[in-house]
Every structure is written in C-alpha cells, then in structure tokens.
Amino acid sequence: MGIFSRLRTLIASNVNDLIGKAEKPEKMLNQLIIEMNEQLIESKKAVAMAIADEKKLEREKDSQYAQSKEWERKAMLAVNNGKDDLAKEALLRKQEYDNAAAEYQKQWEAQKTSVESLKESLRELQNKIEEAQRKKNLLVARAKRAEAQQKIQNTISTVSGNKSAFEAFDRMAAKVDQMEAMADASKELEDFTNNNDLERQFKALEKSDVTADAMLLELKEKMKALPEK
C-alpha cells in the first residue's frame, strides 16, 4: 500500500502545481491525463515486481517442500535397508527443509495478500483515470463556456464604465437630429418660397387682366363720344 500512498501524494502535488500554473483549462486537463497515465504505468511496473516476488516465494516454498519429500523418501529407503542411523540423518535434513518451507509458506501468503491489495488499488486507480478521461471533454466544454461568459462580462463592464464613449454617442445622435431638423426646415422654407412666387405670378396676371379691361372700356366710351365721320 505504500506504493499507492506515495503515488497519490505525487499525483496530488503535480495536480496542485498544474492548477497553480494553468492558463488554459484544456491544456491543463490534457497534461493531467498524461501525468495520470504515466503514474499508472509506473504503478503497473511496481505491481508487476510485487507479483514477481510472490511467484519467486511460491517457487522457493514448493522447492523446500519437494526437498522435504525427497529426504523423507531417502529416510524410508535407509530404514528398508536396515540403515537406521542414516535414516535419522535423512529425517533431520527433512525437518530443516520442512522448517524452511513453513517460513516460505508464511512469506508467500503475506506477499500474496499484499499483491491482491495492490491489484485492487491498481484497478481503482485505472478506473479513476478512465473516469477522468470521460469527464475531460465535459470539463473542457464547461471551461470554454465560462471563459466566453467572462469575456462578454468584461466587455460589458468596459463599455459600461467608459462614460465618455456614451456621452460622445449621445452628442452625435443629437447632432444627427439637428441636421435632420435643419434639412426639414430648409425644405419647408423652399416650398413656402415657391408657393409665394406662384401666388405673386397669378396675382400679377389677374391685375394685368383687370387693367386691360378697364382701359378697353374707357377707349370704347371715348370712341362713342367722338362725332361720326
């Protein structure tokens, strides 16, 4: 378990370091996944070494038991041949191998338990990394959305805080209104002037017609008063 305790500490320190330096969440998340997979590879190597140690202990245990069986066979052979002293020596050797085999048995069982625990921790770590990989895209999307919202908010705050720009905009709007009003006034004045000229022309025509009629009437009256030739 010490391996994974150190591993968790290492990953935590790397994560904290990356978060502290991170500017782009997507880049940070990709780097975190890389770090996790690198640590996973190292963990697999450590577990593989532990499994190898377990197999070695198992082989030693089996070898000691096999030697014990062999010396027991030799002791039986000595007894069958009336060699009791030789049989005793063989039994003493058998006991040595039995003791060694018993010790290897305990070591092997302890190592086997440790290996099973390491395998479980490794599976848990691998599952968490796979889950992190699945969540990465979602986190990246959330980070991009938050970044976009922040940019919009900063823009709004900047524009809202720039009163001179709004004041200049209002002055320009007022100027455009004034220009439109002046254009309307000029048109109205031109129309008014044109109407007055037209009225004067018709009045002049009417006046000229009245004067001519009066002069004609006066001429006719004058001609009546003249003696006939």
Side-chain angles (χ1 to χ4, degrees):
M1 295 300 292
I3 296 173
F4 289 93
S5 178
R6 291 193 299 272
L7 175 62
R8 285 192 293 269
T9 302
L10 180 59
I11 290 177
S13 63
N14 289 343
V15 167
N16 291 333
D17 183 59
L18 286 170
I19 290 173
K21 296 179 180 178
E23 296 180 357
K24 296 292 184 180
E26 183 174 5
K27 183 178 179 181
M28 182 199 73
L29 290 169
N30 287 332
Q31 185 60 36
L32 285 174
I33 295 298
I34 292 173
E35 289 282 339
M36 290 178 183
N37 282 317
E38 288 177 352
Q39 296 304 322
L40 180 62
I41 292 171
E42 293 300 319
S43 299
K44 286 181 177 180
K45 290 179 180 178
V47 173
M49 290 177 63
I51 293 172
D53 289 340
E54 178 207 339
K55 298 300 181 183
K56 184 178 179 181
L57 288 170
E58 185 177 15
R59 286 194 300 270
E60 289 292 341
K61 168 188 68 82
D62 293 341
S63 176
Q64 296 299 317
Y65 277 125
Q67 290 292 332
S68 173
K69 292 288 186 183
E70 177 62 19
W71 283 105
E72 184 178 36
R73 186 190 67 78
K74 289 179 178 180
M76 290 179 180
L77 179 61
V79 170
N80 290 334
N81 286 275
K83 303 290 186 181
D84 289 351
D85 290 340
L86 191 58
K88 289 179 182 179
E89 291 295 333
L91 290 173
L92 290 174
R93 297 294 296 274
K94 176 184 180 302
Q95 187 177 25
E96 291 175 5
Y97 281 107
D98 283 341
N99 293 338
E103 186 62 31
Y104 276 114
Q105 179 77 26
K106 289 191 296 184
Q107 293 296 324
W108 172 71
E109 290 176 354
Q111 183 69 11
K112 186 176 178 64
T113 301
S114 178
V115 165
E116 291 301 321
S117 179
L118 289 173
K119 286 180 179 179
E120 182 61 32
S121 297
L122 185 62
R123 282 192 291 270
E124 181 181 352
L125 177 62
Q126 190 164 358
N127 289 338
K128 286 184 176 181
I129 292 175
E130 291 174 356
E131 182 181 2
Q133 289 175 329
R134 289 192 296 270
K135 288 182 177 179
K136 186 192 73 173
N137 291 338
L138 177 60
L139 290 173
V140 168
R142 289 171 57 189
K144 287 183 177 179
R145 185 174 67 253
E147 184 179 0
Q149 290 176 343
Q150 185 64 45
K151 286 182 179 178
I152 293 172
Q153 189 60 43
N154 291 340
T155 302
I156 293 173
S157 299
T158 301
V159 174
S160 299
N162 190 1
K163 294 183 179 180
S164 60
F166 283 103
E167 291 172 355
F169 187 87
D170 291 339
R171 288 196 300 271
M172 184 57 66
K175 184 175 181 179
V176 172
D177 290 341
Q178 181 65 23
M179 291 171 64
E180 290 178 342
M182 290 296 294
D184 291 341
S186 297
K187 185 177 185 305
E188 183 176 345
L189 182 61
E190 183 180 358
D191 293 343
F192 177 75
T193 301
N194 291 336
N195 289 336
N196 284 344
D197 289 342
L198 187 62
E199 288 176 1
R200 281 196 298 270
Q201 290 177 17
F202 276 107
K203 285 182 179 180
L205 288 175
E206 290 173 355
K207 183 177 180 181
S208 63
D209 290 344
V210 170
T211 302
D213 290 341
M215 290 175 64
L216 179 60
L217 182 61
E218 184 180 354
L219 177 61
K220 287 180 178 181
E221 291 297 330
K222 184 176 180 180
M223 290 175 65
K224 288 178 180 180
L226 290 176
E228 294 183 357
K229 293 184 179 182

